[in-house]
């Protein structure tokens, strides 16, 4: 089963059925002001249509706006506490869609701590979202279970309200069944309205991924505009990002392709990156962009990966020597597995012992 697909389905199911249809529409618990709704809508539209930089910029603006409404710790306006929490929830879901699980997890943690009262139904859904992300983080399955259990506790606590009782019982039962299945098999099953997703073996392709996709732009280095060489001037605190459409390596120009097929690849100033040259064809039918012999991969330095990420991993052989490999990372039956995606070889490695991840691929560079 594909863990990420099931978690994606649960996030979609919980958002549409529990949050949007039940809590916001039927119960009328809407905390976002019209201005916040407008900006959230723009952020989602930018994310859905591949305008990655615009989505991140709108996210930062939303976070600043929510903080301004809410106020400082000394002068907080409690009329805006739930809006602050919902804005962070919406930002977290967009960060997750853009592939930043760590940022999404942090924002959801912040959101759960700022809903007013312990019985907020929105808070229960946010804990469910958080659990969906924690299932995908290495060695975080126990935290995922705890987050989901907190969702159930909040929903059960709201059953005493006659207007909510029937739906609370139904939602709590769905949650309880999901937790039971996940803890028995080691990963979540899909929600009721989704069929089981294909197994890993059924995903293998028989043809190469076309390489005629439009190249992406690589965005890096904050650009603050001109700086006077004479007298001081007002500092621009909202920089753009320099972007390039190709890189030259040892006299050869390479086009840049986002690992998810996105039109922009954003390098976060807070992260470290490195380049590696692919040697072999064990990922030559990777989806959506193949990695072929001689391509370069741009990796973000991290020891954490989400299911379906392509990673550079270090394994120790029988002699205790370090060996490096580029493979698709998965969680299967509670184990970390590295799989090839190739039309020439089928390789599967289980990570154990001292094995570790060096980085996650964010872009693939192909010769022009």
């Amino acid at each position: 089963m594909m863990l990420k697909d099931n978690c994606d389905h649960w996030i979609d199911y919980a958002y549409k059925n529990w949050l949007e249809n039940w809590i916001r529409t039927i119960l009328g618990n809407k905390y976002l002001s019209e201005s916040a709704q407008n900006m959230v809508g723009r952020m989602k539209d930018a994310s859905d249509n591949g305008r990655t930089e615009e989505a991140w910029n709108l996210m930062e603006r939303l976070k600043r706006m929510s903080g301004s409404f809410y106020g400082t710790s000394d002068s907080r306006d409690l009329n805006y506490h739930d809006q602050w929490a919902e804005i962070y929830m919406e930002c977290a879901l967009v960060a997750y869609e853009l592939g930043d699980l760590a940022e999404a997890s942090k924002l959801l943690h912040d959101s759960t701590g700022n809903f007013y009262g312990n019985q907020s139904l929105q808070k229960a859904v946010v804990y469910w979202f958080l659990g969906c992300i924690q299932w995908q983080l290495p060695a975080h399955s126990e935290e995922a279970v705890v987050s989901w259990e907190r969702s159930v506790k909040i929903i059960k606590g709201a059953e005493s309200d006659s207007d909510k009782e029937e739906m609370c019982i139904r939602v709590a039962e769905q949650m309880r069944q999901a937790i039971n299945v996940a803890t028995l098999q080691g990963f979540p099953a899909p929600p009721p309205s989704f069929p089981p997703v294909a197994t890993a073996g059924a995903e293998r392709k028989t043809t190469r991924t076309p390489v005629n996709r439009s190249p992406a732009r690589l965005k890096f280095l904050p650009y603050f505009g001109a700086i006077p060489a004479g007298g001081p001037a007002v500092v621009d605190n909202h920089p753009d990002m320099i972007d390039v459409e190709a890189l030259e390596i040892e006299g050869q120009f390479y086009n840049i392709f986002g690992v998810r097929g996105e039109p922009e690849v954003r390098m976060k100033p807070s992260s470290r990156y490195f380049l590696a040259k692919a040697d072999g064809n064990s990922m030559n039918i990777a989806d959506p962009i193949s990695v072929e012999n001689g391509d370069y991969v741009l990796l973000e330095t991290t020891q954490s990966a989400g299911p379906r990420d392509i990673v550079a991993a270090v394994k120790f052989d029988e002699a205790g020597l370090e060996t490096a490999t580029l493979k698709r990372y998965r969680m299967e039956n509670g184990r970390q597995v590295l799989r090839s995606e190739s039309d020439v070889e089928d390789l599967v490695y289980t990570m154990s012992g001292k094995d570790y991840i060096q980085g996650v691929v964010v872009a693939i560079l192909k010769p022009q």
Side-chain angles (χ1 to χ4, degrees):
M1 304 287 285
M2 287 176 55
L3 175 59
K4 184 179 187 306
D5 283 348
N6 288 349
C7 290
D8 286 351
H9 290 330
W10 266 117
I11 289 174
D12 185 61
Y13 182 88
Y15 191 95
K16 291 178 179 177
N17 291 277
W18 300 343
L19 180 63
E20 195 63 41
N21 294 341
W22 175 37
I23 299 172
R24 287 177 172 171
T25 302
I26 295 176
L27 297 179
N29 294 347
K30 298 180 179 180
Y31 298 137
L32 294 181
S33 64
E34 188 172 350
S35 58
Q37 290 180 49
N38 291 339
M39 291 185 67
V40 167
R42 289 170 56 199
M43 176 179 65
K44 289 181 175 181
D45 180 74
S47 175
D48 292 342
N49 290 283
R51 302 193 306 276
T52 306
E53 188 65 27
E54 181 183 345
W56 284 112
N57 286 337
L58 283 165
M59 187 185 303
E60 291 304 315
R61 291 170 62 187
L62 271 164
K63 288 156 63 178
R64 289 197 300 270
M65 185 178 77
S66 64
S68 297
F69 273 126
Y70 196 15
T72 65
S73 58
D74 296 328
S75 60
R76 283 187 166 167
D77 186 343
L78 295 182
N79 291 318
Y80 290 102
H81 55 80
D82 289 322
Q83 171 164 285
W84 189 101
E86 280 221 7
I87 284 176
Y88 269 56
M89 177 199 69
E90 295 285 4
C91 289
L93 296 180
V94 170
Y96 175 72
E97 184 178 323
L98 294 173
D100 195 331
L101 273 67
E103 179 67 9
S105 178
K106 178 182 180 301
L107 290 170
L108 289 174
H109 271 294
D110 291 342
S111 177
T112 59
N114 284 278
F115 280 108
Y116 185 72
N118 294 324
Q119 303 304 322
S120 169
L121 295 175
Q122 274 95 334
K123 186 174 183 177
V125 178
V126 173
Y127 269 123
W128 197 262
F129 293 152
L130 179 59
C132 289
I133 292 175
Q134 289 168 332
W135 276 113
Q136 301 172 64
L137 298 173
H140 283 256
S141 59
E142 294 83 1
E143 294 179 10
V145 174
V146 171
S147 293
W148 278 12
E149 290 283 4
R150 285 174 174 162
S151 295
V152 177
K153 182 178 180 181
I154 293 172
I155 296 294
K156 294 287 289 182
E159 286 182 10
S160 58
D161 188 328
S162 59
D163 293 335
K164 304 173 184 175
E165 180 181 8
E166 181 180 351
M167 191 64 182
C168 281
I169 292 173
R170 187 186 311 171
V171 172
E173 180 60 24
Q174 290 178 335
M175 289 178 169
R176 177 59 60 199
Q177 290 179 3
I179 293 171
N180 287 340
V181 172
T183 50
L184 282 171
Q185 67 182 17
F187 58 91
S193 63
F194 287 88
V197 296
T199 60
E203 294 168 1
R204 294 197 65 221
K205 301 178 181 295
T206 57
T207 58
R208 286 174 177 258
T209 303
V211 295
N212 59 350
R213 292 177 179 268
S214 299
R217 295 187 303 278
L218 180 64
K219 303 182 79 68
F220 68 111
L221 288 180
Y223 171 60
F224 288 87
I227 182 168
V234 176
V235 175
D236 180 4
N237 289 318
H238 305 288
D240 295 322
M241 298 287 283
I242 292 175
D243 63 78
V244 296
E245 295 183 354
L247 290 178
E248 182 182 5
I249 304 174
E250 296 181 345
Q252 170 72 56
F253 281 93
Y254 289 79
N255 286 328
I256 302 157
F257 295 86
V259 74
R260 298 178 180 85
E262 66 271 33
E264 293 181 350
V265 177
R266 181 177 183 268
M267 295 178 68
K268 295 175 287 188
S270 59
S271 296
R272 297 177 61 190
Y273 296 84
F274 64 97
L275 276 175
K277 190 172 186 178
D279 182 10
N281 283 300
S282 67
M283 296 298 292
N284 72 339
I285 57 171
D287 184 30
I289 303 295
S290 63
V291 183
E292 297 169 284
N293 186 51
D295 290 348
Y296 280 87
V297 287
L298 175 65
L299 300 103
E300 181 179 1
T301 301
T302 178
Q303 292 191 347
S304 299
R308 300 289 300 160
D309 280 340
I310 298 176
V311 302
V314 172
K315 288 187 60 60
F316 287 80
D317 63 16
E318 295 179 357
L321 298 176
E322 292 186 0
T323 62
T325 186
L326 187 75
K327 297 289 182 288
R328 183 78 70 180
Y329 175 86
R330 297 180 182 278
M331 289 293 293
E332 297 180 5
N333 298 322
R335 300 177 303 165
Q336 299 181 77
V337 175
L338 305 171
R339 285 186 174 272
S340 65
E341 293 183 1
S342 171
D343 56 6
V344 295
E345 55 186 347
D346 188 7
L347 303 173
V348 182
Y349 303 110
T350 299
M351 295 182 66
S352 59
K354 297 180 180 179
D355 299 346
Y356 63 93
I357 294 168
Q358 282 185 309
V360 171
V361 176
V362 297
I364 299 158
L365 279 58
K366 293 181 173 293
Q368 292 184 344

